[in-house]
Each structure stands twice: as structure tokens, then as C-alpha cells.
Amino acid sequence: MKKSKITTTGWNLDNSYTILPQSFFTKLNPTPVKSPKLVVLNHSLASYLGLDIEELQSDEGIKILAGNILLDTFTPIAQAYAGHQFGSFTMLGDGRAILLGEQITPKGERFDIQLKGSGRTPYSRRGDGKATLGPMLREYIISEAMYALGIETTRSLAVVKTGELVYRDTFLPGAVLSRVASSHIRVGTFQYASKYRPKDELQKLADYTIERHYPYIQDNDDKYLLFLKEVIKRQAKLISKWMLVGFIHGVMNTDNMTISGETIDYGPCAFMDTYNTETVFSSIDTFGRYAYGKQPIIAKWNLSKFAETLLPLLNEDQDKSVKMTEDSLSEFDKLYKSNWISGMKSKLGIFNEEPNDETLINKLLKIMQNNGADYTNTFVDLIFKKPEELSLYKDSEFVKWYNLWKTRLIRQEENNEKTIQLMKKSNPAVIPRNHRVEEALEAAVKNGDLSFMEKLLNVLMNPYEHTQEQTEYSKTPPPSFCSYKTFCGT
Ligand code: AMP
Ligand code: MG
């Protein structure tokens, strides 16, 4: 494939990852697609990245987003990684994604630009290297919704239809998603290095990752221990944010956990409607390994796998290294809990601290679970409705709880107005509800009608606004959606 000389689209790609030993990647161009058509382009993200929106929408611009044209500065690679999938260790790698390089933004920040669905690679195993339109649009919607909710995440720049059909039980339209991430380095990347590569390569990966994501610790004598602690800290914060908005990742394999602390790989993920800690949407998660309520435990398990990879770098004495990782991992529970309690308190409008706050929070959650209450709307209703208008009011336990909560609020300095402000900015009016996401995807994929998706995205972009036009999107799903399942089928 020819490399084009155009540079006017603002593409400004570096490729620092390729200074790592060659075992960490394979240089490889994306497979050109038949007839690329732009389906959706993220204008604000494009501008942020320093890209020219007009030119991105031109023939050449779209071809770049499809992988059909490469610029001089691009050094396309597929990254090597391994991972525990549902608990079993496997060699993986970018089986259907190509990293074009790292865009340096006008502000000087660095973001990976990856094309997902761009053809087979040496890591494809038996896969076809392709992606289909529905799941790529799904990743676009959910990742952008997460971003708007203030949750660290990879983002979506564009989805391009390929003009090819891809076989998944039936023929579906093919697509390429351009994914933007602060990096694609995963727990699984370290597992790959630790299992298959010599110590010096593992160390190079660690040094590179520290410099890229945790530069403030790189001059420390015990930087690898600090690195572990920082990753634990970021993940504890991230998972608490998922839990606070009712997000279920669905496939928290170690290859789907980033070292940067961003949410990655939107496969069978979904937001919970009815509050139930056992909620699972993914059709492949038969045993509920990745159920809503299990996410903190699984995150800690994944981090223990990450910690294992760092053992040779921590101390020459293996026992000392093990002790260091155990001590660091034991911090996860405390960090997670303090993030979560602080977030929950904000959701309830609580500013100060009292010993019984956790009990108060858990009581409400228990009442919600017993009554099958909608997770998001329960909190929003507490802001706007009178107690007797609340659907939970019929439960005497809730009435007791409500009075406890109200008297708790009186015991803080902040007035009612401040409390309401805090609750508004801590409780989204809208989340990407499954029935709305499905509605938008069906219209886009079956009828080529993007209007549903555009409207949905528009509403999701300001989740904390609490406007009238959001009301329609805050409605709970019809009963037919109760057994909703998501499919990894990518
Ligand atoms: P995921 O479930 O998206 O986290 O993917 C797990 C692994 O399977 C990664 O190594 C992917 O690159 C690979 N993979 C998923 N779908 C395909 C596909 N259609 N072709 C090749 N590899 C794939
Ligand atoms: Mg993955």
C-alpha cells in the first residue's frame, strides 16, 4: 500500500511504542476495505485531537479512517498481549486492530489512534480480523456516554462502513471503528512480557509505561512498587465510578484492563436498569463471573495478576517482592471503598462525614434491590420528587430510610440548595439505556437511519443537565427488555 503525502488533515502521528523490543508488536498495514463510507464522526474529539473536520469527511479523509490510505508518518502495528479470559490464561494480541500511531494533540498530549476491524494479523487465531457495524456503533455510543459521565475511557473518533459483508451466523455490514486511547497497554501486555519474554524486555515495557502514564514516579528508587500502587489507585477509582453509575463491563478479562486506568473494550457491556447486584447482561457470562456486584473483586483479581508480572522488578528476593505486592493489593479494598462511599454520599447530597453513612447508603441499596427499583431514577427522583410521589414510598422500610436521610441532611452545614446542586451533578438524568441503544442501532444498521443515534448521543452528552428533553430518555425499558442480553459477537 502506498503512503500518501497529504498532511493537511492535522494528522500528527508519533510512534513511540515501536522503540520497544520487536517482540511487543508486528509491523503490519491495515487491510484496505472495499468501499469506505463514513457513518459517524466525532466532531468535538476530532477538533480536540487537532484534526480538520472537513478534510476527515473528504474521500481521502475517510480512506484514512478506513485504513485504505496511510500517511508518511504512520507506522501501523498490531500489538502483542496475553490475558486471562474468564480465568484461563491465553496468548492474544490485536487480532483485528491496527495501531496507526500516537496523535500528538495541539496541547501536546499523546493519544493512540487504533483502527478496530481492520483485518487479520498474526494474532488473529481463527478470527477473520473484521468488525461489524452494530457493535462498532455500540462501542461509539457507550464509550462517548462514559466520557460524558466523567468516567475515564477510550473514546471513539469515527465509524466507517466498509462496504463488505462479514459473516457472524448471518451476513452483517462490516465496519471499522477508530478508537482513541491514552494507550492500549493492558494488564495482558505485562502478562505477555512476564510469561514469554526475558526480564530486560519486561523492564523496558515497565519503564516505557511509567514514562508514558506515570512520569511523576520515574525518578524514584522504588518506581516499580510505586507503579503498581498507582495502577491499583487508578483502577480502584475507575471501578468505583462504574459502580456509581451502574455500568457493567461484561468481560473484565485481564486483556481488557488498561494500565492507564481507562475503560476499554466495549463488548457485551450495558448499564443496569433495575438495581440488582447479580445483574449480568453478557450472553457468554454463564456463571456471572463479571456480574455488577462482582466487579470490584474481579478488578482486584486482575490487579493481582498484574502484580505477579512485576515480581522480578520489585526486589531480588522473591519473598520480599511477594510481600510488597500483597501489601499493595490489600490497599485496593480501602481505596475502592473510600471512592465509592464518597461518590455515594454525593449522590445523596451529603457533604460531611458521619460514622453511620455507609449503613445509610447500604440500607437504601437493599430497599432498592428488594423492590426492584430503577437504579438511576431512584436517585434522580430523590432530588425532584416529594416523598409520597416516590415509587418506593409504599415500602415502610423506605419511609423510615427517607426520614433518616432527611435528618442526616439537616446535620450538615450546607443548605438545601447546595445539597440539591451536589445531587444534580452526581446523579445522571440519562444513561445509555439498553432499549434506547438497541433502538438506535437497529435504525442505523437495518435502515441506515442515523437520526435515532444522533438524538440519543445528543442527550447523552450532558447527563447531569436534568433538562426536560432528557425525560423521554430516562424512562425505564418496557417489560420485554427484562431478559436483555448483550452479545460479544463483534
Ligand atoms: P475481545 O473479546 O474484543 O477483548 O477480544 C479478545 C481477543 O480476540 C483479542 O485478541 C482480539 O483481537 C481477538 N478477536 C476478537 N474478535 C476477532 C476477530 N473477528 N478476528 C480476529 N481476532 C479477534
Ligand atoms: Mg479485548
Side-chain angles (χ1 to χ4, degrees):
M1 196 185 325
K2 268 200 169 163
K3 288 194 174 185
S4 165
K5 290 277 178 214
I6 8 161
T7 49
T8 45
T9 43
W11 288 110
N12 181 23
L13 292 195
D14 186 31
N15 27 60
S16 68
Y17 202 77
T18 57
I19 59 170
L20 284 174
Q22 288 222 342
S23 55
F24 284 106
F25 56 88
T26 302
K27 284 193 177 168
L28 176 75
N29 288 345
T31 308
V33 305
K34 199 168 146 200
S35 66
K37 297 240 159 24
L38 187 63
V39 180
V40 53
L41 176 68
N42 192 333
H43 289 215
S44 66
L45 178 58
S47 303
Y48 190 84
L49 292 170
L51 301 171
D52 185 302
I53 291 162
E54 293 267 304
E55 293 196 31
L56 276 177
Q57 298 178 86
S58 71
D59 256 9
E60 285 210 314
I62 295 168
K63 282 183 182 153
I64 293 175
L65 294 171
N68 285 22
I69 291 183
L70 298 171
L71 303 187
D72 266 354
T73 52
F74 292 10
T75 307
I77 57 169
Q79 289 175 312
Y81 54 87
H84 275 90
Q85 299 197 301
F86 289 90
S88 315
F89 185 80
T90 328
M91 177 60 201
L92 297 162
D94 288 333
R96 54 160 177 169
I98 298 283
L99 180 67
L100 294 179
E102 301 137 25
Q103 172 77 359
I104 310 298
T105 69
K107 274 187 172 174
E109 291 165 297
R110 178 182 297 270
F111 289 100
D112 273 9
I113 307 287
Q114 192 203 59
L115 301 184
K116 185 168 172 180
S118 54
R120 284 180 54 80
T121 76
Y123 314 107
S124 294
R125 296 172 291 162
R126 275 175 296 170
D128 59 5
K130 305 283 183 188
T132 59
L133 183 58
M136 293 309 102
L137 290 178
R138 198 157 191 285
E139 170 151 353
Y140 187 105
I141 297 171
I142 313 268
S143 63
E144 285 306 299
M146 291 286 271
Y147 171 77
L149 284 163
I151 300 176
E152 289 72 12
T153 178
T154 64
R155 296 189 64 189
S156 302
L157 176 61
V159 175
V160 172
K161 271 202 289 188
T162 60
E164 296 165 4
L165 290 175
V166 174
Y167 190 70
R168 299 277 183 271
D169 296 330
T170 167
F171 284 102
L172 297 169
V176 173
L177 167 82
S178 29
R179 178 157 77 179
V180 178
S182 70
S183 89
H184 284 83
I185 304 168
R186 308 144 190 267
V187 167
T189 318
F190 278 83
Q191 287 182 292
Y192 164 74
S194 145
K195 172 98 179 168
Y196 299 114
R197 307 305 308 162
K199 183 179 161 187
D200 68 300
E201 292 194 10
L202 169 72
Q203 189 157 3
K204 281 183 180 142
L205 175 68
D207 289 342
Y208 172 83
T209 311
I210 291 170
E211 191 182 344
R212 187 153 171 192
H213 294 300
Y214 303 91
Y216 47 89
I217 59 168
Q218 65 184 338
D219 295 330
N220 259 285
D221 289 341
D222 52 357
K223 67 173 173 178
Y224 301 115
L225 178 61
L226 290 176
F227 176 39
L228 172 62
K229 289 185 174 180
E230 289 297 302
V231 175
I232 290 172
K233 224 191 263 176
R234 284 200 198 169
Q235 283 294 337
K237 188 167 154 218
L238 178 69
I239 308 299
S240 73
K241 288 189 178 183
W242 289 2
M243 298 301 280
L244 290 165
V245 297
F247 174 74
I248 304 169
H249 184 284
V251 57
M252 287 176 75
N253 295 332
T254 54
D255 57 298
N256 292 338
M257 183 183 254
T258 60
I259 301 298
S260 66
E262 286 179 348
T263 312
I264 196 171
D265 257 354
Y266 293 86
C269 61
F271 280 72
M272 175 171 68
D273 295 298
T274 304
Y275 181 76
N276 183 342
T277 54
E278 286 171 22
T279 308
V280 172
F281 290 114
S282 168
S283 62
I284 55 168
D285 192 1
T286 328
F287 300 106
R289 179 180 168 94
Y290 300 138
Y292 170 74
K294 295 241 185 85
Q295 296 185 120
I297 299 165
I298 289 290
K300 188 177 174 185
W301 189 86
N302 288 351
L303 289 165
S304 76
K305 296 291 146 200
F306 174 55
E308 276 173 23
T309 71
L310 296 182
L311 288 173
L313 304 181
L314 292 174
N315 199 293
E316 301 215 324
D317 179 337
Q318 170 94 357
D319 291 340
K320 282 190 184 152
S321 291
V322 170
K323 175 83 176 63
M324 285 163 142
T325 58
E326 283 170 356
D327 291 347
S328 308
L329 284 164
S330 71
E331 285 296 303
F332 177 84
D333 297 332
K334 277 181 247 165
L335 289 165
Y336 167 74
K337 205 164 177 187
S338 72
N339 279 304
W340 181 78
I341 291 183
S342 132
M344 271 292 169
K345 277 175 34 195
S346 301
K347 283 172 86 68
L348 291 172
I350 299 172
F351 287 90
N352 62 346
E353 233 164 83
E354 281 191 8
N356 282 336
D357 286 339
E358 193 180 343
T359 315
L360 186 77
I361 294 162
N362 285 326
K363 264 191 190 152
L364 174 64
L365 293 176
K366 193 162 174 239
I367 294 165
M368 284 163 67
Q369 176 131 354
N370 290 343
N371 287 275
D374 183 80
Y375 179 69
T376 305
N377 289 356
T378 298
F379 288 98
V380 175
D381 287 350
L382 287 175
I383 313 175
F384 296 105
K385 289 191 177 168
K386 295 193 187 110
E388 57 279 13
E389 291 167 4
L390 297 164
S391 57
L392 284 173
Y393 201 70
K394 57 184 187 302
D395 182 345
S396 60
E397 286 301 308
F398 176 74
V399 179
K400 274 192 239 161
W401 178 87
Y402 190 89
N403 292 328
L404 278 177
W405 173 55
K406 280 286 167 182
T407 48
R408 169 70 185 84
L409 292 179
I410 293 166
R411 291 196 301 272
Q412 62 186 6
E413 266 177 32
E414 287 77 6
N415 60 20
N416 192 42
E417 196 185 322
K418 283 248 166 72
T419 300
I420 288 183
Q421 263 173 21
L422 176 63
M423 288 180 78
K424 278 188 180 171
K425 69 171 194 199
S426 314
N427 291 297
V430 282
I431 48 161
R433 288 190 187 266
N434 305 318
H435 63 296
R436 288 298 195 173
V437 174
E438 289 305 324
E439 174 188 58
L441 295 182
E442 194 167 313
V445 177
K446 284 201 181 144
N447 311 326
D449 176 1
L450 293 167
S451 63
F452 288 85
M453 182 170 144
E454 279 161 14
K455 246 180 113 183
L456 176 62
L457 278 170
N458 216 8
V459 171
L460 290 172
M461 284 309 99
N462 299 298
Y464 302 106
E465 267 193 1
H466 301 277
T467 58
Q468 199 54 41
E469 62 153 345
Q470 290 173 324
T471 319
E472 188 53 34
Y473 287 85
S474 66
K475 288 191 182 148
T476 54
S480 57
F481 254 81
C482 285
S483 56
Y484 180 70
K485 286 273 168 250
T486 53
F487 296 89
C488 226
T490 49

